[in-house]
């Protein structure tokens, strides 16, 4: 059986969390667990961490190139986070959505607000750490940041957490498997919403078959 798209355009799942809460871990596992779901690869001026692959985790570019992309309007959203620039390419995002895939956007709260203005009808999910002390532990365990960078991320975490109300769902990432089940439930439920059902798709794939 050939695989059919389940709709003409995919849905955006916007996922934010304070750094270290486990967002990357959850998003990567969910993209493997669920069909028809891809994670968007962002552009960044941050240096690659050990084990990160250019083109897979991020597209690592210079600040000069990033600024040119901003000037050309190539980002659907971009922001400065922890001293580095991060952005989502409009062209890459449109390509995934237009091919019928749902997309996970792992972006910060500033980016989420911009997407809300331009795309509006996405699904907004916020991931919380079980506590600030566990957030600190996780940042330390990741060992990929300097002490100074970790302190900066912890300080910003409080401001970010207070933004949770602009999101539709909040998941406290205590036990990873439980968080994955919650995330999966959100995606599956959102896909069944009648408002997200594509009339043209139903006409072509159900009524005319
Ligand atoms: P983020 O993308 O939010 O910055 P990561 O996914 O890189 O965070 O996770 C930060 C650290 O916490 C990693 O070492 C990861 O393995 C660990 N981690 C993620 N989720 C959990 C969890 N539910 N319980 C314990 N450790 C976790
Ligand atoms: P990290 O450096 O830990 O990979 O990411 C730091 C923060 O930048 C995270 O909150 C992450 O969600 C955010 N981020 C990653 N890519 C993008 C992006 O394209 N746009 C925005 N606005 N934030 C991003």
């Amino acid at each position: 059986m050939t695989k059919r798209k389940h709709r003409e355009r995919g849905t955006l799942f916007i996922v934010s969390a304070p750094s270290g809460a486990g967002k990357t871990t959850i998003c990567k596992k969910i993209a493997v667990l669920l069909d028809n779901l891809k994670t968007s690869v962002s552009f960044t001026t941050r240096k690659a961490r050990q084990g990160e692959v250019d083109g897979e985790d991020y597209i690592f570019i210079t600040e000069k190139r990033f600024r040119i992309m901003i000037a050309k309007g190539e980002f659907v959203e971009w922001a400065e986070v922890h001293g580095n620039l991060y952005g989502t390419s409009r062209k890459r995002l449109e390509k995934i959505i237009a091919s019928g895939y749902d997309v996970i956007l792992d972006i910060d709260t500033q980016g989420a607000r911009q997407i809300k203005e331009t795309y509006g009808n996405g699904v907004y999910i916020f991931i919380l750490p079980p506590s600030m002390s566990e957030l600190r532990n996780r940042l330390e365990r990741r060992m990929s940041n300097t002490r100074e960078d970790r302190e900066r991320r912890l300080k910003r975490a409080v401001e970010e957490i207070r933004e949770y109300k602009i999101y539709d769902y909040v998941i406290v990432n205590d036990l990873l498997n439980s968080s994955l089940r919650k995330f999966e439930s959100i995606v599956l439920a959102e896909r069944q919403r009648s408002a997200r059902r594509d009339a043209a798709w139903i006409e072509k794939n159900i009524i005319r078959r």
Side-chain angles (χ1 to χ4, degrees):
M1 194 179 89
T2 53
K3 207 166 160 199
R4 288 188 284 146
K5 299 202 281 188
H6 63 161
R7 55 174 62 87
E8 293 304 318
R9 278 177 73 77
T11 300
L12 276 181
F13 290 88
I14 297 93
V15 187
S16 303
S19 183
K23 180 166 38 93
T24 310
T25 308
I26 292 176
C27 290
K28 278 190 173 172
K29 287 193 186 283
I30 281 291
V32 174
L33 271 172
L34 294 179
D35 278 345
N36 274 304
L37 185 68
K38 291 194 173 184
T39 45
S40 159
V41 181
S42 297
F43 283 78
T44 185
T45 61
R46 153 162 98 54
K47 297 266 176 294
R49 292 185 187 128
Q50 205 177 11
E52 281 184 332
V53 178
D54 189 22
E56 276 181 28
D57 297 286
Y58 281 105
I59 298 159
F60 297 97
I61 59 171
T62 60
E63 181 168 346
K64 187 173 171 203
R65 207 178 136 211
F66 199 103
R67 299 263 175 219
I68 292 171
M69 289 178 73
I70 296 174
K72 287 185 173 169
E74 290 183 24
F75 292 120
V76 63
E77 66 73 35
W78 69 272
E80 184 176 335
V81 191
H82 314 304
N84 297 299
L85 301 172
Y86 297 83
T88 305
S89 152
R90 188 185 305 277
K91 205 162 88 187
R92 292 172 72 99
L93 181 62
E94 262 307 314
K95 198 172 159 199
I96 307 177
I97 298 180
S99 61
Y101 282 97
D102 291 337
V103 188
I104 293 184
L105 281 186
D106 167 344
I107 59 177
D108 86 318
T109 52
Q110 304 169 75
R113 282 185 183 277
Q114 293 172 50
I115 292 289
K116 238 182 189 183
E117 277 164 28
T118 44
Y119 277 82
N121 67 343
V123 180
Y124 295 77
I125 305 172
F126 198 78
I127 295 171
L128 285 175
S131 65
M132 293 310 284
S133 59
E134 175 60 12
L135 185 65
R136 180 181 287 276
N137 289 342
R138 288 184 191 174
L139 279 172
E140 281 169 6
R141 224 177 300 139
R142 195 163 68 187
M143 302 250 288
S144 48
N145 314 104
T146 60
R147 192 190 159 86
E148 189 193 7
D149 184 57
R150 272 204 303 271
E151 290 310 317
R152 185 164 42 172
R153 282 169 192 257
L154 277 168
K155 207 168 148 216
R156 197 175 134 81
V158 177
E159 291 161 31
E160 286 175 314
I161 290 172
R162 294 203 167 113
E163 297 256 351
Y164 82 90
K165 283 216 165 130
I166 69 162
Y167 293 77
D168 301 310
Y169 297 95
V170 173
I171 297 175
V172 178
N173 181 26
D174 195 346
L175 296 177
L176 184 59
N177 279 342
S178 162
S179 304
L180 292 173
R181 278 189 49 219
K182 287 170 188 163
F183 201 118
E184 186 178 7
S185 309
I186 294 168
V187 174
L188 297 182
E190 287 290 338
R191 282 181 175 170
Q192 318 314 315
R193 276 189 189 274
S194 62
R196 283 191 212 290
R197 291 293 181 180
D198 192 314
W201 186 92
I202 289 180
E203 186 67 33
K204 189 171 125 202
N205 291 281
I206 296 179
I207 297 173
R208 291 177 197 274
R209 266 176 190 251

